[in-house]
Amino acid sequence: MLNVNYVNPFIGATLQALEMMAAVRPERGTPFVKTDQTAKGDISGVIGLAGETTGSVAVTFPESLARRIYTNLVGEEATEITDEVRDSIGELANMIAGGAKAELAQQGCSFQIAIPTIVVGEGHTIDHKGQGPCLVVPFTLDGEVFWLEVSLS
Amino acid sequence: MLNVNYVNPFIGATLQALEMMAAVRPERGTPFVKTDQTAKGDISGVIGLAGETTGSVAVTFPESLARRIYTNLVGEEATEITDEVRDSIGELANMIAGGAKAELAQQGCSFQIAIPTIVVGEGHTIDHKGQGPCLVVPFTLDGEVFWLEVSLS
């Protein structure tokens, strides 16, 4: 399903979740179709979508940005990726999938949301094995880039 | 949901999928409740479960084992983690979730399966953010260990 309309609710939910959670307003870049393992990051929240529509969503951050989001969220510094930082990224993934779900349901695209899994590892990549293409959206925050990936079948 | 009965179908499906796909018979270890980011690996297949029951499953391999499974599957060597190796691990994750789904449905535990995502990164860890505990099952194959993780809410 190569339809950019389907990625917009995820983009909107990402911006909204980050503003609500962490009071940050990243700048979104232009979505593109993933052709390789472009989005290298240090911590990702990954969440499966299953039902009439099937897919997966991932949001991938460099460690420094993930720690900053955590700090903005709770008002405490994190000098490394702690359990609490992982929880924040899991909650963010949940909010992105949940926000998009509500909007897409109105467009007749329905799914249920699995639990988030958090991947931690320096420079890891994520590959979505659905039938459809994977759209990648880069976001910039204070000169650092994080990535939203959406694959729907 | 701390019920080892729910993990058994995933264990059975793992053994069956590896025997069918790669003609290997790993030895299963004792399941335990995950309390930290124990299972470090180089390549993981992660798949979300959503519906009446919600959860996620991950199978995490060291690179050498993933390449061996690929070689057994297609009869070709892989000197690194290629797209084809990733595809094999994605297909394995699919078979594990699909096999367990059928058996658990008979026990009245129903879910649908998201698409697999493949994580690649040396020594990465995976953390499942469900309501319930995450059960980890170590498997040994020719002296190397891989890990099955199941979290159901």
Side-chain angles (χ1 to χ4, degrees), chain A residues 37 46 48-51 54-56 83 86-87 112-120 124-130 151 153, chain B residues 37 46 48-51 54-56 83 86-87 112-120 124-130 151 153:
Chain A
Q37 285 66 52
V46 181
L49 316 174
T54 305
S56 60
D83 263 353
R86 277 191 289 268
D87 283 346
Q112 290 178 286
I113 296 172
I115 66 169
T117 50
I118 309 304
V119 177
V120 175
H124 68 262
T125 61
I126 291 184
D127 205 0
H128 304 259
K129 292 294 182 195
S151 178
S153 303
Chain B
Q37 286 64 51
V46 181
L49 315 174
T54 304
S56 61
D83 265 351
R86 277 191 288 267
D87 283 345
Q112 289 176 287
I113 297 172
I115 66 168
T117 51
I118 309 304
V119 178
V120 175
H124 69 261
T125 60
I126 291 184
D127 205 1
H128 304 259
K129 292 295 180 194
S151 178
S153 303

Side-chain angles (χ1 to χ4, degrees), chain B:
Chain B
M1 179 193 299
L2 180 48
N3 184 336
V4 176
N5 291 335
Y6 283 91
V7 87
N8 286 335
F10 292 95
I11 294 173
T14 302
L15 293 170
Q16 194 172 15
L18 282 170
E19 179 150 11
M20 278 175 58
M21 278 179 68
V24 293
R25 290 175 193 79
E27 193 175 323
R28 60 164 277 195
T30 305
F32 60 92
V33 176
K34 190 171 190 172
T35 53
D36 60 9
Q37 286 64 51
T38 318
K40 287 190 165 57
D42 304 319
I43 177 166
S44 295
V46 181
I47 197 159
L49 315 174
E52 282 175 46
T53 299
T54 304
S56 61
V57 183
V59 58
T60 298
F61 291 91
E63 179 181 328
S64 52
L65 261 188
R67 288 196 282 108
R68 173 163 170 208
I69 286 165
Y70 170 75
T71 299
N72 278 30
L73 177 65
V74 302
E76 278 173 29
E77 294 285 330
T79 54
E80 56 178 356
I81 295 178
T82 59
D83 265 351
E84 291 74 22
V85 174
R86 277 191 288 267
D87 283 345
S88 306
I89 300 302
E91 182 53 26
L92 177 64
N94 242 338
M95 289 173 76
I96 293 170
K101 174 187 157 96
E103 192 167 333
L104 286 166
Q106 294 176 340
Q107 298 178 32
C109 170
S110 80
F111 52 80
Q112 289 176 287
I113 297 172
I115 66 168
T117 51
I118 309 304
V119 178
V120 175
E122 200 182 321
H124 69 261
T125 60
I126 291 184
D127 205 1
H128 304 259
K129 292 295 180 194
Q131 299 297 314
C134 172
L135 281 169
V136 184
V137 189
F139 290 87
T140 310
L141 184 58
D142 294 344
E144 286 195 287
V145 177
F146 69 90
W147 310 86
L148 171 71
E149 303 185 349
V150 180
S151 178
L152 293 179
S153 303

Side-chain angles (χ1 to χ4, degrees), chain A residues 32-39 126-127:
Chain A
F32 60 91
V33 176
K34 189 171 191 172
T35 53
D36 60 8
Q37 285 66 52
T38 319
I126 291 184
D127 205 0

Side-chain angles (χ1 to χ4, degrees), chain A:
Chain A
M1 179 192 300
L2 179 48
N3 185 335
V4 174
N5 290 336
Y6 284 92
V7 87
N8 286 335
F10 291 96
I11 294 172
T14 301
L15 293 170
Q16 194 171 16
L18 282 170
E19 180 150 11
M20 278 175 57
M21 276 179 71
V24 293
R25 288 174 194 81
E27 194 176 323
R28 59 163 278 194
T30 306
F32 60 91
V33 176
K34 189 171 191 172
T35 53
D36 60 8
Q37 285 66 52
T38 319
K40 287 189 164 59
D42 303 320
I43 177 166
S44 295
V46 181
I47 196 157
L49 316 174
E52 282 175 44
T53 299
T54 305
S56 60
V57 183
V59 58
T60 298
F61 292 91
E63 178 180 328
S64 51
L65 261 188
R67 288 195 281 109
R68 173 163 169 207
I69 287 164
Y70 169 76
T71 299
N72 278 31
L73 176 65
V74 302
E76 279 174 30
E77 294 285 329
T79 54
E80 57 177 355
I81 296 177
T82 58
D83 263 353
E84 290 73 22
V85 174
R86 277 191 289 268
D87 283 346
S88 305
I89 300 302
E91 182 54 26
L92 177 64
N94 242 338
M95 289 172 76
I96 293 170
K101 173 186 156 98
E103 193 168 332
L104 286 167
Q106 294 176 341
Q107 297 178 33
C109 170
S110 80
F111 52 79
Q112 290 178 286
I113 296 172
I115 66 169
T117 50
I118 309 304
V119 177
V120 175
E122 201 182 321
H124 68 262
T125 61
I126 291 184
D127 205 0
H128 304 259
K129 292 294 182 195
Q131 300 295 312
C134 173
L135 281 169
V136 185
V137 189
F139 290 87
T140 309
L141 184 58
D142 293 346
E144 286 195 288
V145 178
F146 70 90
W147 311 86
L148 171 70
E149 303 185 348
V150 180
S151 178
L152 293 179
S153 303

